[in-house]
Amino acid sequence: MNKNFVEARRRTGMSQYGVARRLGIDQSSVAYWETGKRTPRASLLVKLADLYCCTIDELMGRSSA
């Protein structure tokens, strides 16, 4: 799952700090998600998917198959 967060962020050209600032959270939270130490709250998943122009399923590594 953490690989998906990193790839989605990089695709948008944003830094961890930029994502954190847009979401109103600490940069360390973004780093924790990307290293797999923590997962974002459900309410933040929606905002992340919007920010990264993808679906929550894509962020979570779920396929439609």
Side-chain angles (χ1 to χ4, degrees), residues 5-36:
F5 286 103
V6 175
E7 289 175 0
R9 178 179 57 78
R10 288 183 178 161
R11 219 177 22 249
T12 63
M14 297 183 76
S15 65
Q16 288 182 350
Y17 177 77
V19 170
R21 191 166 174 186
R22 294 275 303 264
L23 297 176
I25 60 173
D26 289 336
Q27 180 269 330
S28 61
S29 294
V30 179
Y32 284 137
W33 303 337
E34 292 186 0
T35 59

Side-chain angles (χ1 to χ4, degrees), residues 2-65:
N2 53 343
K3 177 182 75 164
N4 298 330
F5 286 103
V6 175
E7 289 175 0
R9 178 179 57 78
R10 288 183 178 161
R11 219 177 22 249
T12 63
M14 297 183 76
S15 65
Q16 288 182 350
Y17 177 77
V19 170
R21 191 166 174 186
R22 294 275 303 264
L23 297 176
I25 60 173
D26 289 336
Q27 180 269 330
S28 61
S29 294
V30 179
Y32 284 137
W33 303 337
E34 292 186 0
T35 59
K37 293 181 180 179
R38 294 188 186 154
T39 56
R41 296 186 315 262
S43 61
L44 284 177
L45 280 174
V46 173
K47 292 178 181 180
L48 278 169
D50 288 345
L51 185 64
Y52 294 155
C53 299
C54 67
T55 66
I56 293 171
D57 283 340
E58 290 170 328
L59 279 177
M60 302 303 291
R62 295 177 49 143
S63 66
S64 59

